Amino acid sequence: MIMKTQQLLLTLLTLAGVGCSPTPQAEKQQDETTTNEETKTLSEPFVWPDSLYLTKPDAPTESYLDKTLRYYSGDTAIFAKEKSYIEDRLVFVAHYTPTIALPKEWNGKPMMRQMVEYYNFMVLAHAVETDVDTYWRYEDEVEDAVALRKDLKDEYGKISLNSLKDGKAKAKINDIIHWALSDDDTRNAMDTLPNSPRDISEMIGQLTDDWMNELPNDRLEIEMLASRAMPQSYLLAWVPDIYEHFVGKESHPTETDQQEIFKRFMAAESFDEKAAWGYVALGMKMPFEMTDMILREVEAMLSSGCYSPLLDPLWRAYRIQYNDMHSCPSTYCYSPNLRYNHFRRMIAYVTMRHIEAHPEDLQARLQYYFMVAHTNIVRFNPYPYGNSSAYEFMRLYWSQDIVDY
């Protein structure tokens, strides 16, 4: 699902090896009590400072907690049902799609209208994909596969396309549904067509041309955009490489590391720093009580209306850890994507408000593009031993793919 016109851009991001997000409002600052000795490159093993060195708050964090966001934040009725869905495992939920309503003041802004349309199209496409993925997992496991297919068809029949204003976008969703409900031979034949029903790259191109065509395609420029996107950029200079010490494939964090990271996450004074420590904490194995507190705190952050370049990686880390704690990594398990998309809608809305206020912020546009494009946690994926939460973890923490699908 990659736009042909963005192939070079994606290649450059891969080569850069880092993600992309807006430049921090100010360079990270150290507490006045921090000495030169404490900011030197630390040798192994890393020793935590005796006291908390907190950042001085930069310019006030942007907040977009308006009436619309408050409504989205309170739209949690599905959570109660989703608890039973986790137990049932075999559940179709495609018609629960948390779309974004176009604010009236964006009617005269083509870029903002298109960004909303892009979000609504993608959330519907993700929903269709996720339910057919469930059907494929169980079609050979149930006694009556015909009845199961009928249940899937009935679920797709409940999907509302009213949030889409573009006729081509509506037609594309219907094409995907038709493809999903077809038998194996018909689907395979469709996939060989020049314009396969499930190939949405052209549709994505049409829904992003008003706000993605200004991105640079020079490798150096991309690296400059991406250089301050990593969570490390929002931590103090004495903090060692988080991937080497805490969350990377070869890292070996200690119990002391767990306690210190939890303490710094809870005590962080700036939103960006708190998001960075939250990202680290969610990538580690911690005691249940600590992880549960972190998840609840992160949910409050994702609902707060505060903008940060770290909203997207924090959300991705959140759903990996939540899936591990409250569902399971098996392909047979139901993943609470309704919950995850509840928070995705809020951070997407906040990011759009930021872009409206800062249309020059190309990093935020690129970040929004991928934030919306991330697939749901699905059962079938490149990782053969479980659902895509494990694959997402490997990409996010081992490969450091901060800006990617």
Side-chain angles (χ1 to χ4, degrees), residues 20 86 132 155 160 165 204 231 251 317 345 377 391:
C20 181
I86 293 174
V132 75
E155 178 64 26
S160 171
K165 309 307 177 186
I204 291 177
S251 65
R345 174 167 65 170
I377 301 297
Y391 180 60

Side-chain angles (χ1 to χ4, degrees), residues 150-220:
K150 181 181 182 303
D151 290 343
L152 178 63
K153 183 177 180 180
D154 290 344
E155 178 64 26
Y156 285 160
K158 299 175 185 176
I159 294 176
S160 171
L161 302 183
N162 291 338
S163 64
L164 296 178
K165 309 307 177 186
D166 188 301
K168 292 182 179 179
K170 290 183 179 181
K172 192 62 179 180
I173 295 297
N174 283 321
D175 287 346
I176 300 171
I177 291 174
H178 174 67
W179 172 87
L181 291 174
S182 300
D183 57 51
D184 293 345
D185 291 339
T186 304
R187 280 202 313 272
N188 292 335
M190 289 180 178
D191 286 340
T192 63
L193 298 174
N195 185 22
S196 169
R198 67 168 176 168
D199 179 4
I200 61 175
S201 59
E202 184 177 347
M203 194 70 246
I204 291 177
Q206 293 178 24
L207 295 178
T208 58
D209 60 3
D210 276 353
W211 51 277
M212 285 289 284
N213 57 6
E214 296 179 20
L215 288 170
N217 58 12
D218 176 79
R219 176 173 178 171
L220 180 60

Side-chain angles (χ1 to χ4, degrees), residues 345-364:
R345 174 167 65 170
M346 287 188 286
I347 65 173
Y349 178 78
V350 167
T351 302
M352 279 193 286
R353 283 296 186 186
H354 168 81
I355 292 170
E356 178 189 25
H358 304 278
E360 76 287 351
D361 192 340
L362 301 182
Q363 289 176 316

Side-chain angles (χ1 to χ4, degrees), residues 288-308:
F288 179 90
E289 294 77 9
M290 290 171 60
T291 302
D292 192 57
M293 289 181 65
I294 294 167
L295 288 172
R296 301 299 165 240
E297 192 77 8
V298 168
E299 288 180 347
M301 295 175 70
L302 297 175
S303 308
S304 68
C306 294
Y307 173 74
S308 168

Side-chain angles (χ1 to χ4, degrees), residues 348-391:
Y349 178 78
V350 167
T351 302
M352 279 193 286
R353 283 296 186 186
H354 168 81
I355 292 170
E356 178 189 25
H358 304 278
E360 76 287 351
D361 192 340
L362 301 182
Q363 289 176 316
R365 296 194 199 184
L366 183 64
Q367 185 182 47
Y368 177 80
Y369 171 80
F370 283 106
M371 177 189 298
V372 176
H374 297 313
T375 63
N376 289 340
I377 301 297
V378 292
R379 300 167 195 263
F380 294 105
N381 67 101
Y383 181 66
Y385 305 110
N387 63 40
S388 64
S389 62
Y391 180 60

Side-chain angles (χ1 to χ4, degrees), residues 180-297:
L181 291 174
S182 300
D183 57 51
D184 293 345
D185 291 339
T186 304
R187 280 202 313 272
N188 292 335
M190 289 180 178
D191 286 340
T192 63
L193 298 174
N195 185 22
S196 169
R198 67 168 176 168
D199 179 4
I200 61 175
S201 59
E202 184 177 347
M203 194 70 246
I204 291 177
Q206 293 178 24
L207 295 178
T208 58
D209 60 3
D210 276 353
W211 51 277
M212 285 289 284
N213 57 6
E214 296 179 20
L215 288 170
N217 58 12
D218 176 79
R219 176 173 178 171
L220 180 60
E221 291 180 279
I222 291 294
E223 288 182 344
M224 291 178 64
L225 282 175
S227 62
R228 289 180 290 270
M230 302 294 278
Q232 191 83 39
S233 300
Y234 300 88
L235 299 174
L236 291 175
W238 57 260
V239 179
D241 186 285
I242 60 174
Y243 295 101
E244 179 181 346
H245 288 263
F246 306 133
V247 295
K249 187 176 183 179
E250 304 299 329
S251 65
H252 298 284
T254 65
E255 290 186 10
T256 298
D257 293 333
Q258 295 176 5
Q259 296 291 337
E260 290 290 340
I261 288 170
F262 176 78
K263 179 169 65 176
R264 280 162 170 74
F265 167 71
M266 297 301 290
E269 293 181 345
S270 79
F271 190 86
D272 287 334
E273 184 191 16
K274 190 177 184 69
W277 281 126
Y279 172 86
V280 176
L282 291 172
M284 300 174 66
K285 294 292 183 182
M286 292 189 177
F288 179 90
E289 294 77 9
M290 290 171 60
T291 302
D292 192 57
M293 289 181 65
I294 294 167
L295 288 172
R296 301 299 165 240
E297 192 77 8

